[in-house]
Amino acid sequence: MQRWKQYGGLAGLFAAFLAAGYWGFTATGGALPWAKRSAKALQRGVQDGGGALVDIGRGIVVAGPIRKGGMMLEFGALVALLVVVGLGLYVYVDRYGGFEDGERPAR
């Protein structure tokens, strides 16, 4: 495929998704409803107080909807899965991540 066709297709996709995003933004009322919700959430957070994410007395702070919705088991499983995937990628790259001396990548 020629380079100008690739860049033209990419520009067309970008324009299409930009138009779809703009349409969705205007259809939902723009930024004003989101700004009002964010301001309320921030004010509520400031009133409730803050603190460290990890406190020895309280443990790890988890977002309210996860904690109150009874999804701690799912959240823990997701964290464990991400840790296992991260460690697996680390081991994979450590074993197979580079070229031996004198080898070159395929062109």
Side-chain angles (χ1 to χ4, degrees), residues 5 9 12 16 22 25 27 34 36 38 45-46 48 52 58-59 63 65 69-70 72-74 76 96-97 103 105:
K5 287 183 181 179
Y22 180 73
F25 182 75
W34 295 103
K36 288 180 181 177
S38 296
V46 169
D48 291 344
R58 295 187 315 169
M72 287 300 294
L73 182 66
E74 292 89 346
Y96 308 108
E103 287 186 8

Side-chain angles (χ1 to χ4, degrees), residues 6 10 18 21 23 26 29 37 40 46 50 52 54 58 91 99 105:
Q6 289 176 338
L10 185 62
L18 188 67
W23 174 81
T26 56
R37 282 189 213 148
K40 286 180 185 177
V46 169
V54 177
R58 295 187 315 169
V91 169
F99 296 104

Side-chain angles (χ1 to χ4, degrees), residues 1-73:
M1 183 177 241
Q2 295 175 346
R3 186 173 292 179
W4 69 270
K5 287 183 181 179
Q6 289 176 338
Y7 287 132
L10 185 62
L13 277 174
F14 180 75
F17 284 113
L18 188 67
Y22 180 73
W23 174 81
F25 182 75
T26 56
T28 58
L32 191 58
W34 295 103
K36 288 180 181 177
R37 282 189 213 148
S38 296
K40 286 180 185 177
L42 286 173
Q43 289 170 355
R44 205 173 323 122
V46 169
Q47 291 170 357
D48 291 344
L53 286 177
V54 177
D55 186 2
I56 302 302
R58 295 187 315 169
I60 298 174
V61 177
V62 179
I66 293 173
R67 188 177 62 250
K68 294 175 185 172
M71 296 188 300
M72 287 300 294
L73 182 66

